[in-house]
Amino acid sequence: MPLTANQQRVLEVLRSAEAPLGAYALLERLREDGFSAPTQIYRALDALIRLGLAHRLETLNAYVPCRLKGCRHGVTVFAICDDCGNIDELIDNALSSSLGHLVERRDFSPGSTTIEIHGTCSQCAGLVPEPTCQTTVKS
């Protein structure tokens, strides 16, 4: 199914952004393209998510484009660096299988599954100074 003009524009802005964007940040970037209401953004985002072209990061209340080809996979894991904001999109078939078996035992049919892990990326881990155990005594 081809994307509408609004969906295409929202996806382009998401892909060109250096960080996740909230709906209102998208609206500000798209005002010159004729977007005037948050509902236009939310409709486009909903469609992009359904098509597997974008993801909503719940903990950040923001959106990112899918960076994996053929994004019709089960479980998406996002590793989010709290220091630099880098976000890695990960897929693990064993994890997807395990979670699938877990919900099957409860006769539950998930619509989508996203896991967000916050922490420090490897690049920032090398830049973060080690905590010290020095105690300062005031006299």
Side-chain angles (χ1 to χ4, degrees):
M1 178 168 97
L3 298 179
T4 66
N6 282 359
Q7 293 164 358
Q8 185 62 44
R9 231 8 235 129
V10 169
L11 184 58
E12 288 169 3
V13 171
L14 283 176
R15 286 180 173 162
S16 67
E18 293 184 16
L21 295 174
Y24 285 90
L26 281 163
L27 179 60
E28 284 305 310
R29 291 182 185 209
L30 291 165
R31 281 202 190 275
E32 290 182 14
D33 292 326
F35 286 76
S36 59
T39 54
Q40 291 174 287
I41 300 293
Y42 285 117
R43 275 191 216 115
L45 288 168
D46 287 344
L48 293 172
I49 291 168
R50 274 194 319 275
L51 293 168
L53 298 172
H55 299 285
R56 181 170 190 267
L57 300 174
E58 299 285 336
T59 60
L60 301 178
N61 194 23
Y63 300 85
V64 293
C66 182
R67 302 217 189 272
L68 302 173
K69 292 190 180 210
C71 192
R72 295 278 180 165
H73 41 72
V75 178
T76 304
V77 179
F78 290 99
I80 303 169
C81 181
D82 293 323
D83 293 326
C84 71
N86 183 56
I87 298 173
D88 283 331
E89 184 175 348
L90 312 166
I91 300 297
D92 184 293
N93 291 333
L95 176 61
S96 294
S97 178
S98 292
L99 289 174
H101 293 304
L102 181 67
V103 296
E104 276 178 13
R105 289 192 303 233
R106 298 283 186 204
D107 291 327
F108 183 81
S109 296
S112 67
T113 305
T114 303
I115 299 171
E116 299 176 33
I117 303 170
H118 284 262
T120 306
C121 71
S122 60
Q123 290 196 353
C124 289
L127 301 175
V128 177
E130 290 293 319
T132 60
C133 294
Q134 297 175 348
T135 305
T136 304
V137 178
K138 292 185 179 183
S139 45

